[in-house]
Amino acid sequence: KVLNVVAIELSLEAFGQDVCISDVFWMPNSEACLCVVTDVFVNVYDLSIDNISPSFSLRLPGATRITAATLCWDATTVAIMVMGEDGRLFLKRIGEGEEKEDGPMEMDMAVQVPKDMAAGGDVRG
């Protein structure tokens, strides 16, 4: 049963015509937090607070495009794992207790791929 409908202002036009949405999903254990994944950014909106400004806005270093994103979570922590077009993986913890910066945050915590897995060459698959 739908209880409420909220329009979200993504402002994609501010990033040019080449930005496309690749995924949208609800944050775990939340009825109000929505994650929007594009090839340029990952935005997390808390719709109980604001439907225009994201609570978290994540970017990859440099001009690296985003090819995939997923959530990792346990009872106390939620993190977003993002893969760039170059095959590197990045992880960012988000939510309560995590330090929030004003404006977009660059994801700087690269996930190390074990050498035996990366030794075969291209890890992008």
Side-chain angles (χ1 to χ4, degrees):
K1 180 177 177 181
V2 176
L3 299 177
N4 207 352
V5 176
V6 178
I8 300 172
E9 179 60 48
L10 299 177
S11 301
L12 295 180
E13 64 277 359
F15 295 94
Q17 295 181 349
D18 294 337
V19 177
C20 64
I21 297 171
S22 59
D23 204 354
V24 176
F25 47 83
W26 293 105
M27 297 298 286
N29 305 316
S30 175
E31 295 178 357
C33 292
L34 187 68
C35 185
V36 178
V37 181
T38 74
D39 55 344
V40 176
F41 59 82
V42 177
N43 283 350
V44 178
Y45 296 88
D46 185 343
L47 300 177
S48 67
I49 297 172
D50 190 349
N51 66 335
I52 297 173
S53 300
S55 299
F56 292 91
S57 185
L58 309 173
R59 311 275 191 283
L60 292 181
T64 305
R65 301 292 255 192
I66 296 170
T67 58
T70 191
L71 295 174
C72 309
W73 72 92
D74 61 21
T76 60
T77 305
V78 176
I80 296 179
M81 184 177 289
V82 176
M83 184 170 76
E85 64 187 345
D86 58 2
R88 292 185 298 161
L89 294 171
F90 294 85
L91 187 70
K92 181 71 174 176
R93 291 181 195 341
I94 62 171
E96 292 182 29
E98 296 300 323
E99 193 170 319
K100 184 178 179 245
E101 302 171 18
D102 289 331
M105 294 182 283
E106 189 169 283
M107 297 184 76
D108 56 3
M109 187 175 164
V111 177
Q112 296 297 316
V113 177
K115 288 185 180 186
D116 61 333
M117 291 179 73
D122 189 2
V123 295
R124 289 177 272 181

